[in-house]
């Protein structure tokens, strides 16, 4: 079946603009995760969804970052007033359940460049 | 706090030679450990995982890893590498309270297989 998809694959924006990144998880997967991959910080957890609720938002770096998930499926990560340090690859992953034992399946990522 | 350390940022090796990528973790609770591979411009793909039971875990593409609780290590090995194994490899530990399964990643090891 189809894997996790993300759009856009690349996004170039100007400092101060808002951006929206989309994630389509594997159908039926309950859990959805957002991670950020940057040169200086490596791979960092941002936020986790269980269904439509987000029990763990501890990785969001500032209040400029927000995310939502609707219908237990698609998720959108929004970055307001983008800064150059937001430049990174944003990865989405989903898993069938919410247990720590579950394998997470990753999308190809959205590469964000803030000029 | 739980953390993961990958001791080598880059590992160059000749084709058909054996390789070991090192990973150490710190955790005060039961651990679930993962190795993921990332090919250029792609998302992460699971190689193998340790949840419980046998400490020697076999994964895809001929990779295996050994969980060593006393040394808090989870090193990845392959007896004979191919050019196609050139990629970045990430060790990760599953953390989180209850059933949240967010991953903490190491900094990654770039495996460069030379002909």
């Amino acid at each position: 079946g189809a894997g996790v998809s993300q759009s856009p694959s690349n996004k170039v924006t100007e400092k101060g603009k808002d951006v929206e990144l989309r994630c389509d998880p594997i159908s039926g997967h309950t859990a959805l995760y957002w991670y950020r991959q940057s040169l200086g910080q490596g791979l960092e957890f941002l936020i986790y969804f269980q269904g439509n609720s987000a029990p763990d938002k501890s990785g969001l770096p500032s209040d400029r970052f927000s995310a939502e998930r609707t219908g237990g499926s698609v998720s959108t990560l929004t970055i307001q007033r983008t800064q150059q340090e937001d430049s990174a690859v944003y990865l989405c992953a989903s898993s069938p359940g919410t247990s720590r034992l579950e394998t997470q399946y990753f999308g190809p990522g959205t590469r964000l460049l803030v000029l | 706090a739980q953390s993961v350390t990958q001791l080598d940022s880059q590992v160059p090796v000749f084709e058909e030679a054996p390789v070991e990528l090192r990973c150490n973790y710190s955790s005060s609770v039961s651990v679930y450990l993962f190795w993921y591979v990332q090919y250029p411009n792609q998302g992460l793909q699971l190689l193998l995982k340790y949840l419980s039971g046998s400490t020697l875990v076999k994964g895809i593409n001929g990779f295996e890893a050994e969980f060593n609780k006393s040394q808090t290590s989870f090193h990845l090995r392959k007896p004979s590498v191919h050019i196609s194994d050139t990629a970045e490899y990430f060790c990760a530990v599953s953390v989180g309270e209850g059933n949240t399964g967010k991953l903490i990643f190491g900094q990654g090891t770039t495996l460069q297989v030379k002909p």
Side-chain angles (χ1 to χ4, degrees), chain A residues 33 35 37 39-43 45 48 55-56 58 91 98-109 111, chain B residues 2 29-32 34 36 38 41-44 46 49 51 90 94-96 98-103 105 107:
Chain A
Y33 302 80
Y35 295 88
Q37 186 175 23
L39 280 177
Q41 301 298 322
L43 266 162
F45 165 81
Y48 152 71
D56 190 346
S58 61
L91 293 168
T98 58
S99 164
R100 291 174 59 197
L101 309 177
E102 300 275 6
T103 295
Q104 293 180 26
Y105 297 86
F106 283 79
R111 189 174 301 271
Chain B
Q2 287 147 322
V29 298
S30 58
V31 291
Y32 304 108
F34 303 77
Y36 280 86
Q38 186 178 34
N41 299 316
Q42 294 186 28
L44 279 70
L46 180 72
K49 61 183 179 182
L51 304 179
F90 292 94
S94 177
V95 302
N99 276 331
T100 61
K102 70 181 180 185
L103 296 172
F105 288 91
Q107 290 296 311

Side-chain angles (χ1 to χ4, degrees), chain B residues 6-12 21-22 87-89 107-112:
Chain B
Q6 291 183 242
L7 298 164
D8 306 296
S9 59
Q10 292 188 349
V11 174
L21 306 183
R22 297 181 293 169
E88 189 152 20
Y89 292 78
Q107 290 296 311
T109 297
T110 301
L111 176 62
Q112 302 163 323

Side-chain angles (χ1 to χ4, degrees), chain B residues 16-42:
Chain B
E16 297 184 6
V19 70
E20 178 180 82
L21 306 183
R22 297 181 293 169
C23 172
N24 285 87
Y25 67 91
S26 66
S27 175
S28 58
V29 298
S30 58
V31 291
Y32 304 108
L33 294 157
F34 303 77
W35 274 100
Y36 280 86
V37 60
Q38 186 178 34
Y39 298 104
N41 299 316
Q42 294 186 28

Side-chain angles (χ1 to χ4, degrees), chain A residues 30-89:
Chain A
T30 303
L32 186 148
Y33 302 80
W34 283 98
Y35 295 88
R36 179 170 71 173
Q37 186 175 23
S38 57
L39 280 177
Q41 301 298 322
L43 266 162
E44 305 171 284
F45 165 81
L46 296 178
I47 187 171
Y48 152 71
F49 286 92
Q50 180 177 331
N52 291 336
S53 63
D56 190 346
K57 307 178 184 179
S58 61
L60 294 179
S62 74
D63 58 7
R64 296 186 295 105
F65 287 72
S66 63
E68 65 174 10
R69 188 179 185 194
T70 55
S73 180
V74 173
S75 177
T76 302
L77 177 69
T78 301
I79 309 173
Q80 295 179 312
R81 306 181 301 282
T82 52
Q83 304 294 313
Q84 288 181 334
E85 61 262 28
D86 299 334
S87 297
V89 177

